[in-house]
Amino acid sequence: MTTPDTFSASAASLTQFDPQALPVSAAQAIVLEWVTPLAQSERVPLRDALARVLATDVISPIDVPAHDNSAMDGYAFDGAALAQQAGALTLSVVGKAFAGHPFMGAVSAGGCVRIMTGAPMPAGCDTVVPQERVTVQPAETAGDDTITFPADALAPGANRRRQGEDLARGGVALRAGRVLRASDIGLMASLGLVDVKVKRRLRVAYFSTGDELRSPGQPLDAGCIYDSNRYTLGAMLRRLDVEPIDLGRVRDDPEALAATLIQAAESADVVLTSGGVSVGEADFTRTQLQALGDVSFWGLAMRPGRPLAFGRIWSGGRPGAGRAALLFGLPGNPVATMVSFYQIVRPALIAMSGATPQPVPLIPARCDAPIRKRAGRTEFQRGVAERDARGQWRVTPTGSQSSGALSTMSEANCFIVLAHEAADLDAGDTVDVMLFDGLV
Ligand code: AMP
Ligand code: MG
């Protein structure tokens, strides 16, 4: 597919879709088509690299482990002795090898070295007999201790870790695009690296719109509500390890909106707004976005979260003038804001950060209650999933599925993902769940 020049054209070019009933998968695909991964990178010390996006492949400068070493506390010897001996094998202990203190001497036939886990294998030794398998006979007066163990209890090469078996020198230890996890930080430390090249953080500006909004800490005037979206958005952005820029709460006033959008385009790579993208009379967000940028207004075939604006705005106040920033206009209802963020914005921010997108796992679960569902839209219901005594995943929808009820998001531990084409479900049917928390 060739990339159209404008977002409005982009949506219109998908003639097989009605932009007012755009399937979630189509919206995700269009958004990703418009995303350009960040080019800039920076070096950060390993301890600051957690959750950052790797900018280049990490090549191992050394073999890990750096030498053959013992996997057990025991005695190292030449495994060839095993084949020469039926029954019990007796060896004399000619020295010691501890981690960090290798045995530098020679081990001749009939000899062995007391060795601790991680200690380098002495020259001429390739096998370790664990200490609990041997009987030790202390030396009588002068001379060495001896050990005896059944020769058939072990194969040559047993309990030895090979040089480079974890990572070979010159090999790719970690690939560019990886979002660094605790194990990766440790792995780079095990290579002796002190810093790492990562993509710079994506800057994401966000603000709420609406005359009815008050900030926490202010008195709640008649007919007003507290602005929760700015807090949810800020928290979700922090989880993605982007740089959040909170531009506050903006009144439903064209000039205030224009000023904030321009400020956002000046300072950020991506701008998120909440509220004002449906067709309410006091909502000036749509008109301002149309004036300042190139923005499509979609109706997604999704619940919650139907209205969504997507496009670009420019800091110069008109298309093509100044800096461009990608724009997502999210619906105002608190759960719709979150669902739109997770399903549409999150994959885009990940791709733009330069990370290789990883699909979020879906787990099949038995649904405990019937669900009313209209075919032709994707639904993200809130549910509580757990594994039952037989190891089967089950999920119970939270009571209310209202797009304004943030409490159901707190109560839930997963989305129940009901596919575009799915219709009503009976209790006991299998559904896909997307867990909120994973181990990272
Ligand atoms: P709108 O799309 O602006 O018409 O907003 C839809 C609904 O979401 C309205 O009930 C708004 O009051 C509510 N809403 C909009 N923005 C926020 C916000 N930042 N925090 C909480 N609720 C909001
Ligand atoms: Mg509004």
Side-chain angles (χ1 to χ4, degrees), residues 97-119:
F98 292 159
H101 301 279
F103 175 76
M104 305 303 277
V107 184
S108 47
C112 69
V113 169
R114 175 82 175 113
I115 195 164
M116 295 299 162
T117 306

Side-chain angles (χ1 to χ4, degrees), residues 47-389:
R47 70 180 80 251
D48 297 331
L50 186 66
R52 300 297 299 271
V53 178
L54 202 55
T56 52
D57 289 351
V58 170
I59 307 295
S60 180
I62 55 170
D63 279 328
V64 180
H67 35 67
D68 286 8
N69 69 90
S70 177
M72 304 284 266
D73 291 346
Y75 298 85
F77 63 101
D78 179 359
L82 294 167
Q84 294 152 14
Q85 188 75 28
L89 180 62
T90 298
L91 301 169
S92 53
V93 185
V94 302
K96 289 179 185 155
F98 292 159
H101 301 279
F103 175 76
M104 305 303 277
V107 184
S108 47
C112 69
V113 169
R114 175 82 175 113
I115 195 164
M116 295 299 162
T117 306
M121 293 295 280
C125 297
D126 63 357
T127 307
V128 173
V129 57
Q131 60 189 19
E132 51 281 4
R133 299 254 187 93
V134 310
T135 315
V136 182
Q137 295 91 33
E140 303 235 314
T141 44
D144 300 327
D145 291 355
T146 56
I147 56 162
T148 304
F149 58 95
D152 58 1
L154 213 52
N159 304 312
R160 169 193 45 170
R161 298 182 191 134
R162 290 287 210 164
Q163 174 174 348
E165 100 181 359
D166 192 1
L167 289 166
R169 177 185 182 154
V172 177
L174 295 168
R175 295 240 171 244
R178 188 171 174 87
V179 179
L180 294 170
R181 302 195 290 213
S183 54
D184 305 328
I185 308 289
L187 192 138
M188 290 186 286
S190 78
L191 302 179
L193 302 176
V194 291
D195 53 23
V196 59
K197 201 169 175 199
V198 294
K199 294 281 188 179
R200 82 156 161 82
R201 275 203 178 89
L202 196 66
R203 286 191 286 272
V204 184
Y206 60 103
F207 61 91
S208 300
T209 66
D211 285 347
E212 76 281 26
L213 301 179
R214 294 292 177 273
S215 290
Q218 292 184 324
L220 200 58
D221 302 322
C224 291
I225 58 165
Y226 283 119
D227 172 6
S228 57
N229 288 346
R230 206 149 48 84
Y231 291 82
T232 351
L233 284 172
M236 291 187 294
L237 290 171
R238 241 161 283 145
R239 273 295 181 97
L240 277 183
D241 204 50
V242 298
E243 189 184 317
I245 304 171
D246 184 348
L247 294 180
R249 186 168 58 76
V250 180
R251 281 166 295 118
D252 286 315
D253 164 71
E255 277 167 31
L257 273 164
T260 310
L261 285 167
I262 285 173
Q263 190 191 347
E266 275 164 1
S267 57
D269 305 302
V270 183
V271 180
L272 309 179
T273 67
S274 98
V277 288
S278 49
V279 272
E281 279 177 26
D283 289 329
F284 297 105
T285 314
R286 284 176 77 107
T287 34
Q288 285 309 315
L289 288 175
Q290 262 154 342
L292 291 180
D294 170 28
V295 178
S296 301
F297 294 88
W298 292 340
L300 299 185
M302 170 165 121
R303 192 172 140 132
R306 212 183 91 78
L308 184 90
F310 174 63
R312 281 177 300 186
I313 55 169
W314 280 266
S315 62
R318 62 188 158 73
R323 262 192 107 245
L326 205 64
L327 175 114
F328 293 91
L330 304 177
N333 276 311
V335 182
T337 304
M338 290 192 81
V339 172
S340 311
F341 180 90
Y342 283 131
Q343 301 307 323
I344 311 288
V345 179
R346 181 182 175 277
L349 297 185
I350 290 173
M352 229 173 143
S353 298
T356 310
Q358 303 287 341
V360 181
L362 291 176
I363 299 171
R366 235 178 86 98
C367 190
D368 283 342
I371 294 182
R372 291 186 59 78
K373 155 83 171 56
R374 214 183 64 197
R377 68 184 179 205
T378 309
E379 292 196 13
F380 298 91
Q381 297 214 352
R382 276 77 77 203
V384 178
E386 61 180 0
R387 253 159 69 105
D388 67 18

Side-chain angles (χ1 to χ4, degrees), residues 401-422:
Q401 295 294 335
S402 153
S403 65
L406 204 50
S407 61
T408 62
M409 279 298 290
S410 286
E411 194 189 321
N413 67 359
C414 67
F415 285 125
I416 302 172
V417 183
L418 304 171
H420 188 84
E421 57 286 353

